[in-house]
Amino acid sequence: MNICMVGTGYVGLVTGAALADLGMDVICVDKDEAKIRALSSGVIPIYEPGLEELVARNERKGRLRFTTDLKAAIENALVIFIAVGTPGRPGGAPDLTFVRQVAEAIAEHMNGYKLVVTKSTVPTGTGKMISDIIRAGNGRFEFSIASNPEFLREGSAVNDFLHPDRIVIGASDARAIEIMKEIYKPLFLRETPFVITDVASAELIKYASNGFLAVKISFINEIAELCELMGANVQDVATGMGLDRRIGPRFLLPGPGFGGSCFPKDTSAAADIARNFGTTFELIEATIRVNARTKARMLEKIEAAAGPIAGKTAAVLGLSFKPETDDIRESPALAVVEGLLRAGARVRAFDPAAMDNTRAVFPDLHYAADAYDCAGGADFVVLATEWNEFRALDLARLARAVRSQTMIDLRNVYDPGELRAAGWNYTGVGRS
Ligand code: NAD
């Protein structure tokens, strides 16, 4: 089956390569010529474990190609996936400009029946909007609309796509459902649950899921704050809560607040969607406020541990919004960097994958060669993203590099007792 993937970013590239791996003929389109040039010559523009091999294997088999020629890709495809960005606008509403542009291009270039599938996270009603644009621009050919939201996580995207908890398909008609089932048949045979519904419900499932996860994160962050005030241990509280199967242990890790390209944007969009329908999504509104406060609280913790920050040098370990990715969009680590700079500190930073992206935003930080180089001459260490290589640092070597043995561990990677016994002035989150 010929598939056209419009938008070759974190989602489009992983989805395109993985669908090729499931046996589809996929052409990935992007308007970013440099990206397509790089991909065509075997260079993967993002850091994502397992992706390079997946892309190379499917290119070799002739099932995966890259182009900027949207017209030809639309003409050749039966199914067109839209995986372009839907960034948040200042009021919270997602910007659907790119989605609209693709719908207009489909209307202009379609040459027969097409199934148009949104992979991008879009608000309820976008499927109808796409349908209206295509119908207005092309009355000649039949088409179907489907919503197939994506739940992959950066850092484990390839595995998540090929082993999902569920596949959600919202479709306008039976033909669309049959084609979508055919595409995902290999996963269906592996007993992946399918949720088949209408387009609007599928669109909402994505916001409801991300919103719920964001609530869970903010909930444990507020519990962490309570623990600090009460002298309790948030990790024990989380374990005690998480063993209740109705709650579950995942997403109960306290930290510097949620970030990334999805949760901040999708919670704001969910709040905006509710407002557009004349109601208030109270829990989501509160979650957004709690997250902002959590981020701000991290700087207070640093000041409490390290003393007045102005004139000091901070060593920040980790810049990406989570481990195993180079994505720094809305990264809590960067909020920490920004806060430190605003408070008058100098920042030395190290991240295994995200330094190039960070350099574009903060060109004046000192970018170190590794964690020890980062700590060299710094007054204190802030562990901001829990990359595996920060979990087993040689703490004696780190202590020799840093000027005062102070660590603010915003990810609770280290054991407070052990570090204090080794002479560290150690601060975690929710473990006073
Ligand atoms: P991204 O910014 O990495 O990639 C989007 C790509 O679309 C870019 O390469 C851009 O050049 C391209 N593009 C934009 N307009 C185009 C057009 N008219 N024609 C061709 N290409 C065009 O974004 P992403 O992180 O892959 O996210 C894409 C969508 O998937 C968003 O709606 C996002 O919310 C959703 N999503 C993201 C994740 C994630 O973890 N990143 C997970 C699930 C869902």
Side-chain angles (χ1 to χ4, degrees):
M1 189 182 307
N2 284 342
I3 289 182
C4 161
M5 182 68 58
V6 191
T8 310
Y10 287 88
V11 166
L13 181 55
V14 172
T15 306
L19 288 179
D21 216 47
L22 298 183
M24 308 289 132
D25 282 303
V26 180
I27 185 145
C28 289
V29 187
D30 207 286
K31 62 181 184 181
D32 182 337
E33 286 178 14
K35 194 178 266 188
I36 293 300
R37 228 182 356 259
L39 283 162
S40 303
S41 57
V43 176
I44 307 294
I46 55 173
Y47 177 85
E48 185 60 53
L51 185 58
E52 191 169 351
E53 193 197 324
L54 187 76
V55 169
R57 182 167 68 235
N58 286 286
E59 269 196 293
R60 249 191 337 267
K61 297 212 165 142
R63 291 195 299 244
L64 180 64
R65 285 170 302 133
F66 301 97
T67 185
T68 53
D69 187 350
L70 183 56
K71 175 177 182 292
I74 290 170
E75 285 172 354
N76 287 332
L78 172 67
V79 185
I80 301 157
F81 279 83
I82 303 179
V84 296
T86 50
R89 288 195 306 214
D95 185 345
L96 298 178
T97 307
F98 300 141
V99 174
R100 224 175 268 119
Q101 284 169 353
V102 178
E104 283 160 7
I106 294 170
E108 189 183 344
H109 302 307
M110 67 195 287
N111 54 350
Y113 171 82
K114 306 286 171 190
L115 166 58
V116 180
V117 186
T118 40
K119 253 289 165 225
S120 299
T121 302
V122 293
T124 305
T126 306
K128 183 175 177 315
M129 178 196 87
I130 294 170
S131 178
D132 290 346
I133 291 173
I134 297 177
R135 195 164 295 115
N138 189 319
R140 286 203 302 146
F141 301 110
E142 278 183 44
F143 64 94
S144 307
I145 295 289
S147 163
N148 174 219
E150 185 49 56
F151 300 97
L152 60 76
R153 297 161 301 168
E154 287 174 22
S156 53
V158 173
N159 188 58
D160 287 351
F161 188 89
L162 292 170
H163 303 93
D165 289 341
R166 76 299 207 189
I167 288 171
V168 173
I169 298 169
S172 60
D173 54 62
R175 188 174 182 182
I177 293 171
E178 284 320 304
I179 296 172
M180 293 301 288
K181 278 186 170 168
E182 187 60 30
I183 292 173
Y184 285 114
K185 198 161 153 195
L187 302 187
F188 182 69
L189 295 176
R190 274 189 229 150
E191 301 191 349
T192 305
F194 277 48
V195 178
I196 295 182
T197 180
D198 57 276
V199 173
S201 302
E203 289 168 339
L204 192 54
I205 285 170
K206 175 68 188 176
Y207 285 108
S209 304
N210 274 2
F212 193 82
L213 293 171
V215 168
K216 213 170 168 189
I217 296 170
S218 281
F219 188 91
I220 201 67
N221 282 336
E222 288 210 289
I223 295 289
E225 193 176 347
L226 274 178
C227 284
E228 287 173 15
L229 294 168
M230 293 171 172
N233 182 331
V234 70
Q235 267 168 332
D236 293 344
V237 176
T239 304
M241 286 171 66
L243 284 169
D244 184 328
R245 271 172 292 184
R246 293 168 303 177
I247 298 173
R250 297 173 71 186
F251 273 72
L252 288 179
L253 295 171
F258 57 76
S261 66
C262 290
F263 287 170
K265 152 176 101 62
D266 293 350
T267 46
S268 296
D272 179 76
I273 291 165
R275 282 195 292 274
N276 287 341
F277 283 91
T279 184
T280 307
F281 199 154
E282 303 279 7
L283 267 177
I284 288 293
E285 301 269 11
T287 296
I288 293 167
R289 284 196 303 276
V290 170
N291 199 50
R293 203 181 72 218
T294 302
K295 282 181 162 180
R297 216 167 69 75
M298 295 304 113
L299 207 70
E300 292 164 19
K301 288 176 82 64
I302 294 170
E303 272 178 328
I309 286 172
K312 292 212 170 104
T313 300
V316 177
L317 299 183
L319 298 165
S320 54
F321 85 93
K322 62 189 278 195
E324 299 297 332
T325 181
D326 59 354
D327 197 345
I328 56 164
R329 289 179 280 186
E330 300 276 337
S331 171
L334 294 199
V336 167
V337 167
E338 207 175 350
L340 287 166
L341 293 174
R342 218 180 313 113
R346 282 180 297 275
V347 175
R348 298 171 67 82
F350 173 71
D351 187 283
M355 292 208 285
D356 286 345
N357 285 342
T358 309
R359 211 176 263 117
V361 190
F362 292 107
D364 298 330
L365 306 188
H366 175 89
Y367 291 94
D370 58 29
Y372 308 102
D373 178 34
C374 184
D379 292 290
F380 55 93
V381 176
V382 181
L383 204 164
T385 311
E386 71 281 31
W387 283 87
N388 272 341
E389 68 176 77
F390 300 149
R391 290 183 184 277
L393 290 170
D394 177 343
L395 293 169
R397 190 175 160 200
L398 199 70
R400 283 195 299 277
V402 71
R403 217 176 279 161
S404 87
Q405 236 180 301
T406 297
M407 182 190 287
I408 302 97
D409 176 2
L410 303 182
R411 299 290 184 169
N412 284 351
V413 165
Y414 285 101
D415 180 74
E418 274 176 32
L419 262 83
R420 286 177 194 141
W424 284 85
N425 166 24
Y426 175 87
T427 303
V429 177
R431 301 182 301 173
S432 57

